[in-house]
Amino acid sequence: MTAKYDFHCHSTASDGSLSPAELIQRAAQQQITLIALTDHDTISGLVLAQQAALENNLTLINGIELSVTWHKHAIHIVGLNIQPNSDILMTGIAQLQHIRHQRVSKIAEKLEKNHIVGVYQAMAILGEKTLITRSHFARFLVSEGYVQNEQQAFDHYLGQGKCAYVATEWATLAEVMDWIHQAGGVAVLAHPLRYHFSATLMRRLLTEFKNLGGVGIEVVSGRYQIDDIRRCAEYAQKFNLAASVGSDFHTPANPWIELGRLAALPTELTPIWTYF
Ligand code: AMP
Ligand code: MN
Ligand code: MN
Ligand code: MN
């Protein structure tokens, strides 16, 4: 039996539906031996996840998924094998969390203007135990019956250009790369095809990423088909980047994406775990 890895997933510390311990237990059930927890802009799930990893006999890589604004586009950089107690990383995360908190109020305000009731209060309660993302708003809209599923919530309210969309200036690419490096980690470009960039823009991004010390790119991601994997593998080779695999698992309620259920990496690529 080959080893199973997963270097991109979420817990209740951000927008996942399983607690860090439940997530690790599920990973163990899926026979994963090496996993990274990569919550959005927070490391608050890592301590409990490490404890659960010890109990479940698997290895947890400390990770994070950082929000970046690059030439007006929101992109995500995964930091793997970070030291969570790094002062510089913690200061950076605090900045992103501050931006998130401000955005929560702005999104709530827009939703209330669009006749959605009780958002502020719901988010205030949620915000006490988690870092709020648009997924939380989406779930609220589903649970209150305004839409039938999370996708509809993005399509009708939260997605770019929709009535409750708030354009956000996250950190710069150079900043997050520095935070990750100062924390001893490696930077990986998350789900490269999700940005729908043209080939030119992708080349520009990867050139900049590489120049800033970027190490890896997700070649195998949650729902990637064989053609997608091939495209990302070409980027990895062209820019001399290591290849990562990550499901971007958020919840067992989504049957399409399971922890560790990922295609094998193309054998010609350097796997990211050789950098841990
Ligand atoms: P945020 O970082 O707060 O903008 O929230 C981003 C999160 O929302 C992502 O990590 C996804 O989990 C989720 N998300 C973004 N776009 C969509 C979409 N179109 N459909 C469903 N979930 C989405
Ligand atoms: Mn998410
Ligand atoms: Mn992401
Ligand atoms: Mn993610």
Side-chain angles (χ1 to χ4, degrees):
M1 160 110 197
T2 50
K4 269 172 94 172
Y5 310 100
D6 197 330
F7 303 119
H8 187 154
C9 60
H10 298 270
S11 74
T12 47
S14 67
D15 58 353
S17 72
L18 300 182
S19 70
E22 289 166 340
L23 184 87
I24 295 302
Q25 279 152 19
R26 193 178 183 91
Q29 283 159 11
Q30 301 292 331
Q31 275 91 44
I32 292 173
T33 51
L34 188 58
I35 187 168
L37 174 60
T38 57
D39 275 306
H40 296 284
D41 306 322
T42 180
I43 51 168
S44 70
L46 294 178
V47 169
L48 289 175
Q50 281 296 359
Q51 210 172 307
L54 213 64
E55 288 161 10
N56 287 276
N57 202 24
L58 54 75
T59 305
L60 177 82
I61 302 291
N62 288 319
I64 188 164
E65 181 174 18
L66 292 163
S67 307
V68 168
T69 299
W70 181 79
H71 296 275
K72 303 227 187 291
H73 302 281
I75 65 166
H76 288 168
I77 302 293
V78 165
L80 295 177
N81 212 21
I82 48 164
Q83 289 150 16
N85 56 359
S86 151
D87 282 345
I88 289 175
L89 179 65
M90 280 198 284
T91 309
I93 297 172
Q95 277 175 37
L96 286 172
Q97 294 180 355
H98 179 67
I99 295 170
R100 278 199 178 273
H101 291 142
Q102 289 183 319
R103 188 179 72 149
V104 167
S105 308
K106 291 181 195 161
I107 295 176
E109 192 180 329
K110 288 196 169 194
L111 286 171
E112 301 232 337
K113 274 197 187 126
N114 282 276
H115 319 293
I116 308 291
V117 181
V119 199
Y120 275 109
Q121 202 187 359
M123 293 304 145
I125 294 166
L126 265 179
E128 291 189 2
K129 44 184 199 287
T130 191
L131 186 60
I132 294 181
T133 70
R134 280 184 295 164
S135 301
H136 296 94
F137 284 98
R139 276 177 222 149
F140 171 84
L141 291 167
V142 175
S143 70
E144 296 299 302
Y146 290 103
V147 289
Q148 278 166 354
N149 54 52
E150 289 186 33
Q151 188 56 52
Q152 275 186 10
F154 280 90
D155 293 346
H156 297 167
Y157 295 96
L158 302 166
Q160 191 163 1
K162 305 302 173 192
C163 62
Y165 182 74
V166 173
T168 307
E169 279 288 323
W170 302 107
T172 67
L173 183 59
E175 281 171 331
V176 306
M177 299 296 283
D178 183 49
W179 303 341
I180 291 169
H181 295 151
Q182 299 278 355
V186 294
V188 173
L189 177 66
H191 41 63
L193 303 182
R194 197 144 348 136
Y195 314 122
H196 303 289
F197 284 174
S198 65
T200 311
L201 205 55
M202 189 59 98
R203 259 201 310 277
R204 202 177 295 165
L205 172 59
L206 289 171
T207 304
E208 213 173 299
F209 178 69
K210 183 77 188 173
N211 287 340
L212 289 166
V215 168
I217 178 170
E218 286 182 356
V219 169
V220 177
S221 187
R223 292 177 71 177
Y224 279 14
Q225 306 298 317
I226 192 82
D227 284 352
D228 300 331
I229 294 173
R230 203 170 291 140
R231 268 177 73 192
C232 293
E234 279 169 21
Y235 286 130
Q237 285 194 307
K238 201 158 164 192
F239 289 87
N240 200 17
L241 291 165
S244 189
V245 293
S247 62
D248 207 0
F249 176 89
H250 283 74
T251 171
N254 177 355
W256 305 107
I257 293 180
E258 179 54 86
L259 278 174
R261 200 177 64 201
L262 293 153
L265 272 183
T267 50
E268 68 274 20
L269 303 179
T270 307
I272 191 71
W273 54 87
T274 62
Y275 285 86
F276 299 156

